[in-house]
Amino acid sequence: MKVALRDDDTCYFTAPETLERVYAGIWERIPVCLATVPFAIGYPRAGIPEAHWHDGEAFALERNTALVPALRDLAAKRRVTIALHGYTHQDFSNGFEFQAAPDLPRRVAEGRAYLERTLGRRISIFVPPHNALSREGLAAVSRAGLNLLGSFLSFHPRHRRWEPRTPLNWWRIRQYRAQTGRGRADHFVYPHVLRYGHHAEFGCHSVIPGTTVDELTRGFEEARRAGGHFCLATHYWEVDETLKNVIVRVLDHAARYADVRFVAAEELFA
Ligand SMILES: [Zn+2]
């Protein structure tokens, strides 16, 4: 059983010391997949100075001259891997970036090339900003051959371009829902990789303020019973001591099993 950890929103606004505070003691045990924004445009959230919430300026990652060498060093030590997390992560009036931006294929291609060049690492995973992805967004990511780590993507054929695997994977999701006694509205994370023609997808368990060790270990145990895998997803900018402790305790729980391997998120798709 593979266990992985994803962290979203590393970008120009990220201080390397913040990542260090959150992941010291963790990334020695498990590589953290940093879903990184190449050209961040601010929006209202903790950790982004209010002056940039609405100014629309795009900040290339390399303008943070402390962060880029820190990320290169962390990646060389295998403490982090790098995924693509949108292009600017900006919010549009009619939706989030990968629902509303007009030029999604360009954003995927240029964002990926920029991160690969700037950080010297190959990118194989895309994480949609706010976990929101339109049909067009999904098509752009799939055409680029990037795998998707989501948190609550829809697998319904209505939300996807048709390809032979779409109905088959939808059927698998429905089977799983029925086997676990869930109704249509019940939330769950499907614990297996879903493969499509040009990409694969895997769902993560969100760790946000208020998430408990109990909920997560229940999710882990369910994935385990199903013969699946398990990935946590969080945002470093909302991880305080309490939440860090939640992550550590869930990892401790998983580590008790001899067949559990802590892996980089990229390995979930291997
Ligand atoms: Zn994000």
Side-chain angles (χ1 to χ4, degrees):
M1 182 183 191
K2 300 177 200 173
V3 171
L5 173 57
R6 158 191 146 205
D7 180 285
D8 294 356
D9 295 343
T10 289
C11 67
Y12 164 80
F13 298 108
T14 307
E17 300 75 35
T18 310
L19 294 176
E20 180 73 41
R21 171 180 60 72
V22 171
Y23 288 114
I26 293 178
W27 55 24
E28 295 88 345
R29 302 173 69 187
I30 182 169
V32 184
C33 179
L34 295 178
T36 303
V37 187
F39 299 98
I41 290 180
Y43 60 97
R45 75 143 162 94
I48 296 181
E50 224 173 305
H52 298 303
W53 283 2
H54 304 288
D55 68 355
E57 184 176 356
F59 290 91
L61 190 74
E62 68 199 286
R63 285 171 66 182
N64 185 332
T65 52
L67 180 64
V68 167
L71 291 177
R72 293 184 82 110
D73 181 54
L74 288 164
K77 289 179 177 149
R78 299 179 150 273
R79 291 183 174 180
V80 305
T81 59
I82 308 291
L84 180 62
H85 188 41
Y87 184 72
T88 59
H89 205 301
Q90 77 206 88
D91 295 342
F92 289 77
S93 57
N94 56 336
F96 297 126
E97 185 184 14
F98 269 70
Q99 298 172 308
D103 51 351
L104 296 173
R106 181 189 69 84
R107 285 172 187 253
V108 172
E110 287 183 13
R112 176 192 205 170
Y114 176 79
L115 285 186
E116 290 188 339
R117 197 166 65 240
T118 306
L119 300 175
R121 296 281 142 180
R122 266 187 50 78
I123 306 284
S124 66
I125 290 178
F126 183 87
V127 175
H130 304 281
N131 294 298
L133 199 57
S134 65
R135 275 166 70 107
E136 290 68 30
L138 177 56
V141 171
S142 179
R143 269 198 297 269
L146 292 171
N147 295 318
L148 261 174
L149 276 184
S151 291
F152 28 78
L153 297 171
S154 169
F155 298 97
H156 196 286
R158 193 191 318 129
H159 299 126
R160 293 168 172 263
R161 290 203 184 164
W162 196 87
E163 60 166 279
R165 298 270 196 147
T166 306
L168 178 65
N169 285 338
W170 174 236
W171 179 81
R172 287 198 175 120
I173 298 275
R174 290 179 52 148
Q175 285 285 105
Y176 186 79
R177 192 188 282 141
Q179 279 162 14
T180 53
R182 289 179 163 101
R184 288 173 62 129
D186 292 332
H187 174 80
F188 69 99
V189 179
Y190 185 69
H192 305 284
V193 172
L194 285 169
R195 297 196 187 272
Y196 292 85
H198 291 102
H199 77 283
E201 301 181 20
F202 191 74
C204 303
H205 293 255
S206 297
V207 186
I208 59 172
T211 305
T212 64
V213 175
D214 250 31
E215 288 168 58
L216 293 169
T217 50
R218 251 185 284 132
F220 169 85
E221 289 297 336
E222 181 181 326
R224 200 176 158 71
R225 278 194 304 278
H229 308 294
F230 182 78
C231 186
L232 295 170
T234 192
H235 305 91
Y236 68 89
W237 50 267
E238 55 185 10
V239 177
D240 56 9
E241 276 309 304
T242 308
L243 211 52
K244 178 170 180 172
N245 192 42
V246 168
I247 296 170
V248 169
R249 285 176 58 195
V250 173
L251 294 178
D252 289 346
H253 176 90
R256 292 208 308 262
Y257 295 94
D259 65 315
V260 163
R261 283 196 302 132
F262 288 165
V263 300
E266 287 75 4
E267 270 190 62
L268 292 167
F269 300 104

